[in-house]
Amino acid sequence: DIVMTQSPDSLTVSLGERATINCKSSQSLLDRSNNRNYLNWYQQKPGQPPRLLIYWSSTRESGVPDRFSGSGSGTDFTLTINSLQTEDVAVYYCQQYYTPPLTFGQGTRLEIK
Amino acid sequence: EVKLVESGGDLVQPGGSLRLSCTAFGFIFSSHWMHWVRQVPGKGLEWVSRSNNDQSDRTYAGSVKGRFTIARDNAKNTLYLQMNSLRAEDTAVYYCAREAVWSLDVWGQGTTVTVSS
């Protein structure tokens, strides 16, 4: 199985500042036939189901604010949240869909300073 | 409105069985692969199973293989998860999710399964 490892486990950032969450996979998630990375990012707020933010490593889901961006390729990926807002307090998960079983990172808890 | 509604969660004894349901609204259910994902309260997400459009391709996590069966009735817009030989470690909130573009773009609110004597 592909192991997904996120860092840090928790993060405290001031309002209006930038938050950066990293995700590393145990094998490449890049499909060279189409140059797509099968890496997704989700946001989960307390008491709610996860919400898809980013797919294919860097494509923002419809309705997701443009302060959220994803980058990376192969085995190393980053979720960046610019101009942090209070509503961004949540746990963030990366997830690979390169090959089943689908696997998630352990999550990164984001809090406001 | 596009939504998924799960039901069937309950308290069940170890070794028992339970069937979860997930009914889809607002989209063409038969056009989408569907998944089950679970989450122990306060913990991370664990993928459980997926089914393609016509159930000809069904995949499971190793932790549930041989005990859980995913199924779907496209005429009823409903996804199922039959869970047998339940263990304490199966206790979790179970979410169904719709697949789109190799991601899970719509999630239900979840249904709670508790395995305890």
Side-chain angles (χ1 to χ4, degrees):
Chain A
D1 298 1
I2 296 177
V3 177
M4 307 298 293
T5 304
Q6 291 180 227
S7 62
D9 288 334
S10 64
L11 186 60
T12 304
V13 178
S14 299
L15 275 175
E17 295 300 305
R18 176 184 298 164
T20 301
I21 299 170
N22 300 300
C23 175
K24 189 173 186 69
S25 57
S26 60
Q27 68 183 73
S28 177
L29 305 182
L30 175 63
D31 185 339
R32 295 191 181 278
S33 68
N34 58 18
N35 205 37
R36 295 201 187 280
N37 288 278
Y38 290 85
L39 186 283
N40 306 313
W41 288 98
Y42 300 86
Q43 174 194 63
Q44 187 177 32
K45 297 181 179 181
Q48 296 185 19
R51 172 196 181 193
L52 176 66
L53 296 176
I54 303 282
Y55 59 94
W56 286 340
S57 174
S58 61
T59 301
R60 205 177 300 114
E61 171 72 338
S62 175
V64 173
D66 60 8
R67 64 178 183 274
F68 291 88
S69 63
S71 62
S73 183
T75 62
D76 293 279
F77 302 91
T78 300
L79 175 69
T80 301
I81 310 170
N82 289 310
S83 302
L84 197 70
Q85 306 294 307
T86 53
E87 60 262 34
D88 300 334
V89 170
V91 179
Y92 293 84
Y93 295 92
C94 61
Q95 174 245 324
Q96 67 83 18
Y97 204 148
Y98 185 80
T99 186
L102 282 64
T103 46
F104 291 87
Q106 80 275 19
T108 295
R109 184 174 302 277
L110 176 60
E111 297 176 334
I112 302 291
K113 188 181 296 182
Chain B
E1 178 191 4
V2 172
K3 67 178 181 179
L4 298 168
V5 179
E6 301 96 335
S7 60
D10 205 347
L11 170 63
V12 60
Q13 291 189 342
S17 297
L18 204 58
R19 189 179 80 158
L20 306 183
S21 300
C22 167
T23 303
F25 299 90
F27 66 95
I28 302 174
F29 179 72
S30 59
S31 296
H32 291 266
W33 291 43
M34 296 294 297
H35 297 248
W36 288 100
V37 176
R38 68 185 180 183
Q39 185 173 36
V40 174
K43 303 296 184 182
L45 299 165
E46 180 188 16
W47 176 80
V48 173
S49 181
R50 73 175 182 186
S51 170
N52 71 342
N53 310 59
D54 64 2
Q55 303 187 98
S56 60
D57 181 353
R58 292 184 275 186
T59 316
Y60 301 91
S63 57
V64 307
K65 197 169 186 178
R67 300 188 299 122
F68 290 12
T69 301
I70 191 170
R72 62 193 294 164
D73 184 335
N74 287 339
K76 295 183 177 180
N77 293 334
T78 301
L79 179 74
Y80 302 100
L81 186 68
Q82 177 67 44
M83 304 187 294
N84 298 331
S85 303
L86 282 161
R87 307 166 180 167
E89 54 265 36
D90 296 318
T91 295
V93 175
Y94 284 73
Y95 297 103
C96 67
R98 183 182 83 169
E99 179 181 321
V101 204
W102 292 274
S103 60
L104 306 181
D105 71 330
V106 178
W107 295 66
Q109 289 297 313
T111 188
T112 300
V113 173
T114 304
V115 184
S116 175
S117 54

